[in-house]
Amino acid sequence: MGKFVYLGLLCAFFATFTSDLHSASCRSTGYHSQVKVKQVLDADLIELASGQQVRLIGIQAPLRNRATDELALKLSAQSSKLLKDILAEQPSISLVLDKELLDSDDHMLAHVFLADGQNIQQLLLEQGAVQLDIQPPNTMFWGCYFQAQKLAIQQQSGVWAHAEFQAKPAQQARFSSDVKQNWLGKVVRVFEHQQSTWLVLNDWLYIQVPDSVKRRYFKEMTFSELIGKQIIVNSSVSYKNNRWQGQVANPWELIKQF
């Protein structure tokens, strides 16, 4: 049933939809549909009056990857309550669809907006109630979501007030696995090697930025200017060629001049 509801919404509204694709803006000039909310299932998942479940694009609840963590359980409950409070006075919400329509559980994927045009994902990210989780090809508002989480990290809002969620020092990479997480370090060296730019954090963690990624996302960045500055990189790490290393593949995986 969910798929039919979703496709119905798509057919009815797609022809008239136009969006503001400026990466730093969370505003939209049009919507695919206006719907009523039945209940909040999680900080990143709601159920509509129609029965269709909608996953909020670009974010994840604190609990998603930490199901046995008592702190994550507590924070996830708080985040769900915040979303309920935000939606409590809203007779309806508006949805903007992206390139990928459904997730693996047949949840509709959407950017969600209040009656005044405020993007709900942005609100939740700014308060540190959820974490950034950009999954290409659904990147329509990535720039705005990225900036919203950056603000929350800088202000240590919500989950970012807790050490368990904060970026780990780069030298702790030796205790890590292939799990993707945030790493904090000072750029002490930048060099070119094997068609990539490498950023060395705290003289320990080597971050690879392939030339193809540079050309696509970082045309205006001079990486050598990062030397001496703190940055956060979101990456899994592994031990290769006698060093710990990670990789930046997307623009939202690097917070510069932090």
Side-chain angles (χ1 to χ4, degrees):
M1 176 180 176
K3 288 186 178 180
F4 291 112
V5 173
Y6 179 81
L7 292 173
L9 290 172
L10 181 61
C11 293
F13 293 94
F14 193 80
T16 60
F17 170 74
T18 58
S19 68
D20 180 357
L21 295 181
H22 191 280
S23 64
S25 173
C26 277
R27 294 282 173 173
S28 178
T29 58
Y31 306 103
H32 287 106
S33 61
Q34 192 174 67
V35 295
K36 295 182 182 297
V37 177
K38 178 180 179 181
Q39 62 178 327
V40 172
L41 301 175
D42 204 346
D44 58 1
L45 184 65
I46 60 177
E47 183 179 355
L48 305 182
S50 65
Q52 175 71 59
Q53 293 185 3
V54 178
R55 176 79 66 187
L56 277 63
I57 292 173
I59 63 173
Q60 66 173 8
L63 180 61
R64 184 91 69 81
N65 295 324
R66 306 171 62 127
T68 61
D69 189 320
E70 184 176 344
L71 175 61
L73 285 168
K74 177 182 177 181
L75 293 174
S76 184
Q78 293 175 351
S79 299
S80 294
K81 182 180 184 305
L82 174 60
L83 181 56
K84 289 177 184 177
D85 291 343
I86 291 174
L87 296 175
E89 303 300 323
Q90 299 290 318
S92 63
I93 57 172
S94 298
L95 305 180
V96 169
L97 311 180
D98 214 317
K99 293 181 179 179
E100 191 167 87
L101 309 181
L102 300 171
D103 68 10
S104 58
D105 296 315
D106 285 341
H107 298 133
M108 179 193 299
L109 296 170
H111 305 276
V112 184
F113 295 81
L114 301 178
D116 63 0
Q118 175 67 59
N119 181 286
I120 291 180
Q121 282 96 320
Q122 180 187 18
L123 282 174
L124 295 173
L125 284 164
E126 285 179 342
Q127 297 185 54
V130 295
Q131 295 168 278
L132 190 69
D133 185 30
I134 304 296
Q135 298 290 335
N138 289 351
T139 60
M140 186 180 295
F141 298 106
W142 78 262
C144 172
Y145 296 164
F146 174 83
Q147 293 298 331
Q149 174 161 286
K150 181 178 178 181
L151 177 65
I153 291 174
Q154 291 173 331
Q155 296 181 345
Q156 294 191 344
S157 302
V159 301
W160 306 111
H162 301 274
E164 293 88 340
F165 285 84
Q166 291 171 2
K168 297 183 182 297
Q171 57 269 31
Q172 289 187 14
R174 63 185 183 277
F175 302 121
S176 186
S177 64
D178 289 334
V179 176
K180 201 168 186 181
Q181 58 189 24
N182 288 337
W183 300 99
L184 172 66
K186 179 186 290 187
V187 179
V188 298
R189 188 155 56 99
V190 175
F191 65 93
E192 306 289 328
H193 182 60
Q194 294 182 338
Q195 298 182 328
S196 299
T197 294
W198 292 82
L199 312 177
V200 184
L201 307 187
N202 292 359
D203 243 345
W204 186 269
L205 182 58
Y206 289 68
I207 300 298
Q208 181 185 21
V209 185
D211 287 348
S212 58
V213 174
K214 285 171 55 181
R215 288 192 296 269
R216 184 173 183 180
Y217 299 122
F218 299 107
K219 291 181 181 179
E220 298 180 2
M221 182 182 293
T222 302
F223 283 93
S224 60
E225 294 179 354
L226 295 178
I227 294 175
K229 296 177 181 177
Q230 296 275 355
I231 66 170
I232 288 179
V233 175
N234 183 255
S235 176
S236 58
V237 297
S238 58
Y239 192 71
K240 299 178 182 178
N241 302 319
N242 297 316
R243 63 194 182 194
W244 288 97
Q245 60 187 62
Q247 185 181 90
V248 169
N250 295 289
W252 51 84
E253 295 170 353
L254 171 64
I255 301 180
K256 62 182 186 295
Q257 299 180 357
F258 184 77

